[in-house]
PDB file of all heavy atoms in Angstrom:
ATOM      1  N   LYS A  22       6.551  38.186  73.741  1.00 91.00           N
ATOM      2  CA  LYS A  22       5.394  39.032  74.019  1.00 91.00           C
ATOM      3  C   LYS A  22       4.083  38.344  73.585  1.00 91.00           C
ATOM      4  O   LYS A  22       2.999  38.895  73.702  1.00 91.00           O
ATOM      5  CB  LYS A  22       5.491  40.323  73.248  1.00 91.00           C
ATOM      6  CG  LYS A  22       4.631  41.456  73.744  1.00 91.00           C
ATOM      7  CD  LYS A  22       4.999  42.794  73.169  1.00 91.00           C
ATOM      8  CE  LYS A  22       4.149  43.909  73.816  1.00 91.00           C
ATOM      9  NZ  LYS A  22       4.580  45.201  73.380  1.00 91.00           N
ATOM     10  N   ARG A  23       4.216  37.107  73.164  1.00 92.00           N
ATOM     11  CA  ARG A  23       3.061  36.287  72.688  1.00 92.00           C
ATOM     12  C   ARG A  23       2.296  36.855  71.513  1.00 92.00           C
ATOM     13  O   ARG A  23       1.123  36.667  71.342  1.00 92.00           O
ATOM     14  CB  ARG A  23       2.060  36.070  73.880  1.00 92.00           C
ATOM     15  CG  ARG A  23       2.671  35.351  75.052  1.00 92.00           C
ATOM     16  CD  ARG A  23       1.656  35.134  76.139  1.00 92.00           C
ATOM     17  NE  ARG A  23       2.264  34.523  77.338  1.00 92.00           N
ATOM     18  CZ  ARG A  23       2.579  33.298  77.498  1.00 92.00           C
ATOM     19  NH1 ARG A  23       2.288  32.401  76.572  1.00 92.00           N
ATOM     20  NH2 ARG A  23       3.115  32.837  78.637  1.00 92.00           N
ATOM     21  N   ALA A  24       3.020  37.653  70.692  1.00 94.00           N
ATOM     22  CA  ALA A  24       2.469  38.196  69.470  1.00 94.00           C
ATOM     23  C   ALA A  24       2.745  37.253  68.329  1.00 94.00           C
ATOM     24  O   ALA A  24       3.600  37.507  67.430  1.00 94.00           O
ATOM     25  CB  ALA A  24       3.023  39.552  69.228  1.00 94.00           C
ATOM     26  N   ARG A  25       2.055  36.110  68.267  1.00 92.00           N
ATOM     27  CA  ARG A  25       2.333  35.046  67.369  1.00 92.00           C
ATOM     28  C   ARG A  25       2.035  35.415  65.954  1.00 92.00           C
ATOM     29  O   ARG A  25       2.739  35.055  64.993  1.00 92.00           O
ATOM     30  CB  ARG A  25       1.594  33.770  67.755  1.00 92.00           C
ATOM     31  CG  ARG A  25       2.113  33.198  69.184  1.00 92.00           C
ATOM     32  CD  ARG A  25       1.404  31.904  69.474  1.00 92.00           C
ATOM     33  NE  ARG A  25       1.873  31.359  70.727  1.00 92.00           N
ATOM     34  CZ  ARG A  25       1.342  31.662  71.928  1.00 92.00           C
ATOM     35  NH1 ARG A  25       0.345  32.478  72.012  1.00 92.00           N
ATOM     36  NH2 ARG A  25       1.821  31.139  72.983  1.00 92.00           N
ATOM     37  N   LEU A  26       0.908  36.089  65.741  1.00 95.00           N
ATOM     38  CA  LEU A  26       0.517  36.481  64.360  1.00 95.00           C
ATOM     39  C   LEU A  26       1.549  37.415  63.775  1.00 95.00           C
ATOM     40  O   LEU A  26       1.994  37.340  62.636  1.00 95.00           O
ATOM     41  CB  LEU A  26      -0.822  37.147  64.375  1.00 95.00           C
ATOM     42  CG  LEU A  26      -1.312  37.704  62.998  1.00 95.00           C
ATOM     43  CD1 LEU A  26      -1.378  36.600  61.943  1.00 95.00           C
ATOM     44  CD2 LEU A  26      -2.660  38.447  63.117  1.00 95.00           C
ATOM     45  N   ALA A  27       1.995  38.407  64.594  1.00 95.00           N
ATOM     46  CA  ALA A  27       3.018  39.314  64.114  1.00 95.00           C
ATOM     47  C   ALA A  27       4.332  38.564  63.777  1.00 95.00           C
ATOM     48  O   ALA A  27       4.993  38.852  62.762  1.00 95.00           O
ATOM     49  CB  ALA A  27       3.297  40.409  65.182  1.00 95.00           C
ATOM     50  N   ALA A  28       4.678  37.664  64.627  1.00 96.00           N
ATOM     51  CA  ALA A  28       5.930  36.857  64.357  1.00 96.00           C
ATOM     52  C   ALA A  28       5.791  36.074  63.081  1.00 96.00           C
ATOM     53  O   ALA A  28       6.710  35.951  62.288  1.00 96.00           O
ATOM     54  CB  ALA A  28       6.172  35.896  65.489  1.00 96.00           C
ATOM     55  N   LEU A  29       4.628  35.479  62.834  1.00 96.00           N
ATOM     56  CA  LEU A  29       4.421  34.762  61.546  1.00 96.00           C
ATOM     57  C   LEU A  29       4.488  35.648  60.353  1.00 96.00           C
ATOM     58  O   LEU A  29       5.074  35.324  59.309  1.00 96.00           O
ATOM     59  CB  LEU A  29       3.041  34.072  61.632  1.00 96.00           C
ATOM     60  CG  LEU A  29       2.684  33.162  60.403  1.00 96.00           C
ATOM     61  CD1 LEU A  29       3.665  32.016  60.325  1.00 96.00           C
ATOM     62  CD2 LEU A  29       1.266  32.682  60.599  1.00 96.00           C
ATOM     63  N   LEU A  30       3.923  36.838  60.444  1.00 96.00           N
ATOM     64  CA  LEU A  30       3.958  37.795  59.381  1.00 96.00           C
ATOM     65  C   LEU A  30       5.376  38.268  59.094  1.00 96.00           C
ATOM     66  O   LEU A  30       5.769  38.502  57.931  1.00 96.00           O
ATOM     67  CB  LEU A  30       3.019  38.958  59.666  1.00 96.00           C
ATOM     68  CG  LEU A  30       1.527  38.627  59.602  1.00 96.00           C
ATOM     69  CD1 LEU A  30       0.725  39.857  60.037  1.00 96.00           C
ATOM     70  CD2 LEU A  30       1.133  38.223  58.205  1.00 96.00           C
ATOM     71  N   VAL A  31       6.181  38.472  60.172  1.00 96.00           N
ATOM     72  CA  VAL A  31       7.575  38.857  59.959  1.00 96.00           C
ATOM     73  C   VAL A  31       8.361  37.815  59.182  1.00 96.00           C
ATOM     74  O   VAL A  31       9.098  38.093  58.235  1.00 96.00           O
ATOM     75  CB  VAL A  31       8.239  39.171  61.315  1.00 96.00           C
ATOM     76  CG1 VAL A  31       9.772  39.249  61.164  1.00 96.00           C
ATOM     77  CG2 VAL A  31       7.721  40.344  62.008  1.00 96.00           C
ATOM     78  N   VAL A  32       8.164  36.537  59.557  1.00 96.00           N
ATOM     79  CA  VAL A  32       8.874  35.426  58.852  1.00 96.00           C
ATOM     80  C   VAL A  32       8.410  35.334  57.388  1.00 96.00           C
ATOM     81  O   VAL A  32       9.213  35.248  56.471  1.00 96.00           O
ATOM     82  CB  VAL A  32       8.567  34.116  59.573  1.00 96.00           C
ATOM     83  CG1 VAL A  32       9.159  32.935  58.684  1.00 96.00           C
ATOM     84  CG2 VAL A  32       9.218  34.086  60.965  1.00 96.00           C
ATOM     85  N   ALA A  33       7.122  35.396  57.154  1.00 96.00           N
ATOM     86  CA  ALA A  33       6.585  35.334  55.809  1.00 96.00           C
ATOM     87  C   ALA A  33       7.064  36.439  54.904  1.00 96.00           C
ATOM     88  O   ALA A  33       7.453  36.210  53.781  1.00 96.00           O
ATOM     89  CB  ALA A  33       5.039  35.356  55.869  1.00 96.00           C
ATOM     90  N   SER A  34       7.022  37.668  55.373  1.00 96.00           N
ATOM     91  CA  SER A  34       7.469  38.774  54.561  1.00 96.00           C
ATOM     92  C   SER A  34       9.007  38.777  54.347  1.00 96.00           C
ATOM     93  O   SER A  34       9.482  39.122  53.263  1.00 96.00           O
ATOM     94  CB  SER A  34       7.055  40.139  55.169  1.00 96.00           C
ATOM     95  OG  SER A  34       7.526  40.228  56.528  1.00 96.00           O
ATOM     96  N   ALA A  35       9.752  38.308  55.316  1.00 96.00           N
ATOM     97  CA  ALA A  35      11.203  38.187  55.111  1.00 96.00           C
ATOM     98  C   ALA A  35      11.501  37.129  54.083  1.00 96.00           C
ATOM     99  O   ALA A  35      12.432  37.279  53.248  1.00 96.00           O
ATOM    100  CB  ALA A  35      11.849  37.805  56.456  1.00 96.00           C
ATOM    101  N   LEU A  36      10.700  36.003  54.047  1.00 95.00           N
ATOM    102  CA  LEU A  36      10.916  34.977  53.064  1.00 95.00           C
ATOM    103  C   LEU A  36      10.570  35.521  51.627  1.00 95.00           C
ATOM    104  O   LEU A  36      11.188  35.130  50.653  1.00 95.00           O
ATOM    105  CB  LEU A  36      10.071  33.776  53.364  1.00 95.00           C
ATOM    106  CG  LEU A  36      10.568  32.911  54.512  1.00 95.00           C
ATOM    107  CD1 LEU A  36       9.510  31.751  54.790  1.00 95.00           C
ATOM    108  CD2 LEU A  36      11.895  32.319  54.206  1.00 95.00           C
ATOM    109  N   VAL A  37       9.576  36.401  51.581  1.00 95.00           N
ATOM    110  CA  VAL A  37       9.216  36.948  50.279  1.00 95.00           C
ATOM    111  C   VAL A  37      10.435  37.772  49.703  1.00 95.00           C
ATOM    112  O   VAL A  37      10.711  37.677  48.494  1.00 95.00           O
ATOM    113  CB  VAL A  37       7.989  37.945  50.409  1.00 95.00           C
ATOM    114  CG1 VAL A  37       7.837  38.829  49.201  1.00 95.00           C
ATOM    115  CG2 VAL A  37       6.761  37.088  50.692  1.00 95.00           C
ATOM    116  N   ALA A  38      11.174  38.421  50.661  1.00 95.00           N
ATOM    117  CA  ALA A  38      12.272  39.180  50.116  1.00 95.00           C
ATOM    118  C   ALA A  38      13.530  38.314  49.862  1.00 95.00           C
ATOM    119  O   ALA A  38      14.253  38.509  48.858  1.00 95.00           O
ATOM    120  CB  ALA A  38      12.683  40.202  51.226  1.00 95.00           C
ATOM    121  N   LEU A  39      13.692  37.265  50.619  1.00 95.00           N
ATOM    122  CA  LEU A  39      14.924  36.427  50.562  1.00 95.00           C
ATOM    123  C   LEU A  39      14.798  35.212  49.621  1.00 95.00           C
ATOM    124  O   LEU A  39      15.803  34.817  48.998  1.00 95.00           O
ATOM    125  CB  LEU A  39      15.323  35.952  51.969  1.00 95.00           C
ATOM    126  CG  LEU A  39      15.823  36.996  52.904  1.00 95.00           C
ATOM    127  CD1 LEU A  39      15.989  36.387  54.312  1.00 95.00           C
ATOM    128  CD2 LEU A  39      17.145  37.547  52.462  1.00 95.00           C
ATOM    129  N   LEU A  40      13.608  34.673  49.515  1.00 94.00           N
ATOM    130  CA  LEU A  40      13.492  33.341  48.810  1.00 94.00           C
ATOM    131  C   LEU A  40      13.870  33.418  47.333  1.00 94.00           C
ATOM    132  O   LEU A  40      14.560  32.475  46.871  1.00 94.00           O
ATOM    133  CB  LEU A  40      12.045  32.870  48.964  1.00 94.00           C
ATOM    134  CG  LEU A  40      11.886  31.335  48.743  1.00 94.00           C
ATOM    135  CD1 LEU A  40      12.779  30.541  49.663  1.00 94.00           C
ATOM    136  CD2 LEU A  40      10.446  30.985  48.970  1.00 94.00           C
ATOM    137  N   PRO A  41      13.508  34.391  46.554  1.00 94.00           N
ATOM    138  CA  PRO A  41      13.914  34.430  45.169  1.00 94.00           C
ATOM    139  C   PRO A  41      15.494  34.278  44.979  1.00 94.00           C
ATOM    140  O   PRO A  41      15.888  33.580  44.100  1.00 94.00           O
ATOM    141  CB  PRO A  41      13.391  35.797  44.652  1.00 94.00           C
ATOM    142  CG  PRO A  41      12.263  36.059  45.507  1.00 94.00           C
ATOM    143  CD  PRO A  41      12.639  35.577  46.884  1.00 94.00           C
ATOM    144  N   TRP A  42      16.203  35.056  45.771  1.00 91.00           N
ATOM    145  CA  TRP A  42      17.642  34.950  45.618  1.00 91.00           C
ATOM    146  C   TRP A  42      18.169  33.547  46.037  1.00 91.00           C
ATOM    147  O   TRP A  42      19.032  33.016  45.374  1.00 91.00           O
ATOM    148  CB  TRP A  42      18.300  36.002  46.489  1.00 91.00           C
ATOM    149  CG  TRP A  42      19.804  35.967  46.566  1.00 91.00           C
ATOM    150  CD1 TRP A  42      20.592  35.821  47.653  1.00 91.00           C
ATOM    151  CD2 TRP A  42      20.742  36.146  45.508  1.00 91.00           C
ATOM    152  NE1 TRP A  42      21.933  35.817  47.354  1.00 91.00           N
ATOM    153  CE2 TRP A  42      22.055  36.011  45.957  1.00 91.00           C
ATOM    154  CE3 TRP A  42      20.543  36.374  44.086  1.00 91.00           C
ATOM    155  CZ2 TRP A  42      23.148  36.106  45.158  1.00 91.00           C
ATOM    156  CZ3 TRP A  42      21.699  36.448  43.301  1.00 91.00           C
ATOM    157  CH2 TRP A  42      22.980  36.339  43.855  1.00 91.00           C
ATOM    158  N   GLN A  43      17.629  32.983  47.115  1.00 89.00           N
ATOM    159  CA  GLN A  43      18.057  31.675  47.569  1.00 89.00           C
ATOM    160  C   GLN A  43      17.694  30.615  46.499  1.00 89.00           C
ATOM    161  O   GLN A  43      18.479  29.676  46.266  1.00 89.00           O
ATOM    162  CB  GLN A  43      17.413  31.365  48.893  1.00 89.00           C
ATOM    163  CG  GLN A  43      17.770  32.285  50.002  1.00 89.00           C
ATOM    164  CD  GLN A  43      19.258  32.405  50.245  1.00 89.00           C
ATOM    165  OE1 GLN A  43      20.006  31.367  50.190  1.00 89.00           O
ATOM    166  NE2 GLN A  43      19.769  33.590  50.483  1.00 89.00           N
ATOM    167  N   VAL A  44      16.538  30.767  45.882  1.00 91.00           N
ATOM    168  CA  VAL A  44      16.138  29.789  44.832  1.00 91.00           C
ATOM    169  C   VAL A  44      17.060  29.929  43.651  1.00 91.00           C
ATOM    170  O   VAL A  44      17.546  28.891  43.041  1.00 91.00           O
ATOM    171  CB  VAL A  44      14.652  30.055  44.387  1.00 91.00           C
ATOM    172  CG1 VAL A  44      14.337  29.278  43.148  1.00 91.00           C
ATOM    173  CG2 VAL A  44      13.749  29.713  45.526  1.00 91.00           C
ATOM    174  N   TRP A  45      17.502  31.140  43.255  1.00 90.00           N
ATOM    175  CA  TRP A  45      18.334  31.349  42.137  1.00 90.00           C
ATOM    176  C   TRP A  45      19.715  30.710  42.401  1.00 90.00           C
ATOM    177  O   TRP A  45      20.318  30.068  41.557  1.00 90.00           O
ATOM    178  CB  TRP A  45      18.523  32.838  41.860  1.00 90.00           C
ATOM    179  CG  TRP A  45      19.216  33.149  40.590  1.00 90.00           C
ATOM    180  CD1 TRP A  45      18.635  33.274  39.330  1.00 90.00           C
ATOM    181  CD2 TRP A  45      20.664  33.191  40.381  1.00 90.00           C
ATOM    182  NE1 TRP A  45      19.634  33.552  38.374  1.00 90.00           N
ATOM    183  CE2 TRP A  45      20.854  33.457  39.013  1.00 90.00           C
ATOM    184  CE3 TRP A  45      21.777  33.144  41.211  1.00 90.00           C
ATOM    185  CZ2 TRP A  45      22.125  33.639  38.434  1.00 90.00           C
ATOM    186  CZ3 TRP A  45      22.975  33.247  40.723  1.00 90.00           C
ATOM    187  CH2 TRP A  45      23.201  33.518  39.300  1.00 90.00           C
ATOM    188  N   ILE A  46      20.245  30.921  43.666  1.00 85.00           N
ATOM    189  CA  ILE A  46      21.554  30.298  44.033  1.00 85.00           C
ATOM    190  C   ILE A  46      21.486  28.781  43.981  1.00 85.00           C
ATOM    191  O   ILE A  46      22.361  28.125  43.437  1.00 85.00           O
ATOM    192  CB  ILE A  46      21.885  30.746  45.478  1.00 85.00           C
ATOM    193  CG1 ILE A  46      22.236  32.239  45.518  1.00 85.00           C
ATOM    194  CG2 ILE A  46      23.102  29.943  45.986  1.00 85.00           C
ATOM    195  CD1 ILE A  46      22.473  32.802  46.900  1.00 85.00           C
ATOM    196  N   ALA A  47      20.350  28.236  44.491  1.00 84.00           N
ATOM    197  CA  ALA A  47      20.224  26.736  44.448  1.00 84.00           C
ATOM    198  C   ALA A  47      20.125  26.191  43.034  1.00 84.00           C
ATOM    199  O   ALA A  47      20.560  25.128  42.774  1.00 84.00           O
ATOM    200  CB  ALA A  47      18.971  26.346  45.300  1.00 84.00           C
ATOM    201  N   ALA A  48      19.583  27.036  42.093  1.00 86.00           N
ATOM    202  CA  ALA A  48      19.459  26.556  40.761  1.00 86.00           C
ATOM    203  C   ALA A  48      20.721  26.685  39.958  1.00 86.00           C
ATOM    204  O   ALA A  48      20.770  26.182  38.821  1.00 86.00           O
ATOM    205  CB  ALA A  48      18.304  27.343  40.057  1.00 86.00           C
ATOM    206  N   HIS A  49      21.727  27.487  40.422  1.00 81.00           N
ATOM    207  CA  HIS A  49      22.903  27.678  39.658  1.00 81.00           C
ATOM    208  C   HIS A  49      24.157  27.408  40.564  1.00 81.00           C
ATOM    209  O   HIS A  49      25.015  28.236  40.728  1.00 81.00           O
ATOM    210  CB  HIS A  49      22.962  29.111  39.182  1.00 81.00           C
ATOM    211  CG  HIS A  49      21.849  29.475  38.296  1.00 81.00           C
ATOM    212  ND1 HIS A  49      20.650  29.934  38.826  1.00 81.00           N
ATOM    213  CD2 HIS A  49      21.740  29.554  36.946  1.00 81.00           C
ATOM    214  CE1 HIS A  49      19.825  30.156  37.743  1.00 81.00           C
ATOM    215  NE2 HIS A  49      20.497  29.938  36.669  1.00 81.00           N
ATOM    216  N   PRO A  50      24.263  26.191  41.070  1.00 74.00           N
ATOM    217  CA  PRO A  50      25.370  25.925  41.994  1.00 74.00           C
ATOM    218  C   PRO A  50      26.727  25.729  41.298  1.00 74.00           C
ATOM    219  O   PRO A  50      27.776  25.871  41.895  1.00 74.00           O
ATOM    220  CB  PRO A  50      24.963  24.643  42.687  1.00 74.00           C
ATOM    221  CG  PRO A  50      24.114  23.912  41.673  1.00 74.00           C
ATOM    222  CD  PRO A  50      23.404  25.022  40.917  1.00 74.00           C
ATOM    223  N   LEU A  51      26.700  25.478  40.009  1.00 71.00           N
ATOM    224  CA  LEU A  51      27.935  25.149  39.231  1.00 71.00           C
ATOM    225  C   LEU A  51      28.282  26.237  38.256  1.00 71.00           C
ATOM    226  O   LEU A  51      29.046  25.953  37.300  1.00 71.00           O
ATOM    227  CB  LEU A  51      27.835  23.773  38.584  1.00 71.00           C
ATOM    228  CG  LEU A  51      27.493  22.619  39.500  1.00 71.00           C
ATOM    229  CD1 LEU A  51      27.294  21.336  38.713  1.00 71.00           C
ATOM    230  CD2 LEU A  51      28.569  22.432  40.571  1.00 71.00           C
ATOM    231  N   VAL A  52      27.784  27.407  38.398  1.00 78.00           N
ATOM    232  CA  VAL A  52      28.088  28.496  37.496  1.00 78.00           C
ATOM    233  C   VAL A  52      29.592  28.822  37.518  1.00 78.00           C
ATOM    234  O   VAL A  52      30.210  29.127  36.513  1.00 78.00           O
ATOM    235  CB  VAL A  52      27.236  29.730  37.758  1.00 78.00           C
ATOM    236  CG1 VAL A  52      27.720  30.947  36.947  1.00 78.00           C
ATOM    237  CG2 VAL A  52      25.785  29.461  37.466  1.00 78.00           C
ATOM    238  N   LEU A  53      30.124  28.823  38.710  1.00 80.00           N
ATOM    239  CA  LEU A  53      31.509  29.149  38.952  1.00 80.00           C
ATOM    240  C   LEU A  53      32.357  27.921  39.166  1.00 80.00           C
ATOM    241  O   LEU A  53      31.924  26.965  39.799  1.00 80.00           O
ATOM    242  CB  LEU A  53      31.694  30.100  40.114  1.00 80.00           C
ATOM    243  CG  LEU A  53      30.991  31.451  40.036  1.00 80.00           C
ATOM    244  CD1 LEU A  53      31.145  32.203  41.388  1.00 80.00           C
ATOM    245  CD2 LEU A  53      31.615  32.294  38.946  1.00 80.00           C
ATOM    246  N   PRO A  54      33.621  27.916  38.664  1.00 81.00           N
ATOM    247  CA  PRO A  54      34.522  26.798  39.040  1.00 81.00           C
ATOM    248  C   PRO A  54      34.846  26.872  40.483  1.00 81.00           C
ATOM    249  O   PRO A  54      34.732  27.947  41.178  1.00 81.00           O
ATOM    250  CB  PRO A  54      35.771  27.078  38.176  1.00 81.00           C
ATOM    251  CG  PRO A  54      35.748  28.481  37.853  1.00 81.00           C
ATOM    252  CD  PRO A  54      34.287  28.872  37.790  1.00 81.00           C
ATOM    253  N   PRO A  55      35.264  25.772  41.126  1.00 79.00           N
ATOM    254  CA  PRO A  55      35.579  25.752  42.558  1.00 79.00           C
ATOM    255  C   PRO A  55      36.533  26.838  43.028  1.00 79.00           C
ATOM    256  O   PRO A  55      36.422  27.324  44.164  1.00 79.00           O
ATOM    257  CB  PRO A  55      36.113  24.343  42.799  1.00 79.00           C
ATOM    258  CG  PRO A  55      35.593  23.503  41.675  1.00 79.00           C
ATOM    259  CD  PRO A  55      35.463  24.433  40.508  1.00 79.00           C
ATOM    260  N   GLU A  56      37.466  27.168  42.142  1.00 79.00           N
ATOM    261  CA  GLU A  56      38.550  28.125  42.500  1.00 79.00           C
ATOM    262  C   GLU A  56      37.953  29.503  42.767  1.00 79.00           C
ATOM    263  O   GLU A  56      38.609  30.365  43.362  1.00 79.00           O
ATOM    264  CB  GLU A  56      39.589  28.209  41.418  1.00 79.00           C
ATOM    265  CG  GLU A  56      40.469  26.999  41.305  1.00 79.00           C
ATOM    266  CD  GLU A  56      39.786  25.803  40.662  1.00 79.00           C
ATOM    267  OE1 GLU A  56      38.757  26.043  39.940  1.00 79.00           O
ATOM    268  OE2 GLU A  56      40.199  24.624  40.858  1.00 79.00           O
ATOM    269  N   LEU A  57      36.759  29.808  42.328  1.00 83.00           N
ATOM    270  CA  LEU A  57      36.171  31.125  42.465  1.00 83.00           C
ATOM    271  C   LEU A  57      35.089  31.146  43.559  1.00 83.00           C
ATOM    272  O   LEU A  57      34.575  32.218  43.877  1.00 83.00           O
ATOM    273  CB  LEU A  57      35.572  31.608  41.133  1.00 83.00           C
ATOM    274  CG  LEU A  57      36.527  31.966  39.996  1.00 83.00           C
ATOM    275  CD1 LEU A  57      35.806  32.680  38.884  1.00 83.00           C
ATOM    276  CD2 LEU A  57      37.706  32.799  40.485  1.00 83.00           C
ATOM    277  N   HIS A  58      34.742  30.041  44.156  1.00 81.00           N
ATOM    278  CA  HIS A  58      33.679  29.953  45.126  1.00 81.00           C
ATOM    279  C   HIS A  58      34.008  30.844  46.338  1.00 81.00           C
ATOM    280  O   HIS A  58      33.140  31.472  46.897  1.00 81.00           O
ATOM    281  CB  HIS A  58      33.432  28.514  45.568  1.00 81.00           C
ATOM    282  CG  HIS A  58      32.666  27.749  44.532  1.00 81.00           C
ATOM    283  ND1 HIS A  58      32.308  26.442  44.681  1.00 81.00           N
ATOM    284  CD2 HIS A  58      32.199  28.078  43.331  1.00 81.00           C
ATOM    285  CE1 HIS A  58      31.605  26.037  43.595  1.00 81.00           C
ATOM    286  NE2 HIS A  58      31.548  27.017  42.762  1.00 81.00           N
ATOM    287  N   GLY A  59      35.275  30.839  46.770  1.00 81.00           N
ATOM    288  CA  GLY A  59      35.612  31.568  48.002  1.00 81.00           C
ATOM    289  C   GLY A  59      35.444  33.055  47.839  1.00 81.00           C
ATOM    290  O   GLY A  59      35.003  33.711  48.799  1.00 81.00           O
ATOM    291  N   LYS A  60      35.751  33.643  46.672  1.00 83.00           N
ATOM    292  CA  LYS A  60      35.631  35.053  46.450  1.00 83.00           C
ATOM    293  C   LYS A  60      34.179  35.460  45.983  1.00 83.00           C
ATOM    294  O   LYS A  60      33.700  36.565  46.284  1.00 83.00           O
ATOM    295  CB  LYS A  60      36.643  35.580  45.488  1.00 83.00           C
ATOM    296  CG  LYS A  60      38.006  35.709  46.015  1.00 83.00           C
ATOM    297  CD  LYS A  60      38.923  36.517  45.073  1.00 83.00           C
ATOM    298  CE  LYS A  60      40.241  36.844  45.742  1.00 83.00           C
ATOM    299  NZ  LYS A  60      41.128  37.664  44.875  1.00 83.00           N
ATOM    300  N   TYR A  61      33.561  34.614  45.155  1.00 84.00           N
ATOM    301  CA  TYR A  61      32.371  35.004  44.494  1.00 84.00           C
ATOM    302  C   TYR A  61      31.141  34.097  44.711  1.00 84.00           C
ATOM    303  O   TYR A  61      30.138  34.282  44.136  1.00 84.00           O
ATOM    304  CB  TYR A  61      32.600  35.130  43.003  1.00 84.00           C
ATOM    305  CG  TYR A  61      33.678  36.172  42.647  1.00 84.00           C
ATOM    306  CD1 TYR A  61      34.932  35.785  42.279  1.00 84.00           C
ATOM    307  CD2 TYR A  61      33.405  37.545  42.767  1.00 84.00           C
ATOM    308  CE1 TYR A  61      35.940  36.715  41.974  1.00 84.00           C
ATOM    309  CE2 TYR A  61      34.334  38.504  42.443  1.00 84.00           C
ATOM    310  CZ  TYR A  61      35.620  38.081  42.070  1.00 84.00           C
ATOM    311  OH  TYR A  61      36.532  39.008  41.769  1.00 84.00           O
ATOM    312  N   GLY A  62      31.324  33.057  45.532  1.00 81.00           N
ATOM    313  CA  GLY A  62      30.268  32.103  45.823  1.00 81.00           C
ATOM    314  C   GLY A  62      29.473  32.387  47.051  1.00 81.00           C
ATOM    315  O   GLY A  62      29.686  33.451  47.678  1.00 81.00           O
TER     316      GLY A  62
END
């Protein structure tokens, strides 16, 4: 629909919601042993 500003705002606000969790995951990759990654990783 060529609503580029709206599309940019959708991406930005979605990142505000998602980024903290993704950063936390990236910062704690080895919290669980490999045997638990399938169920809890």
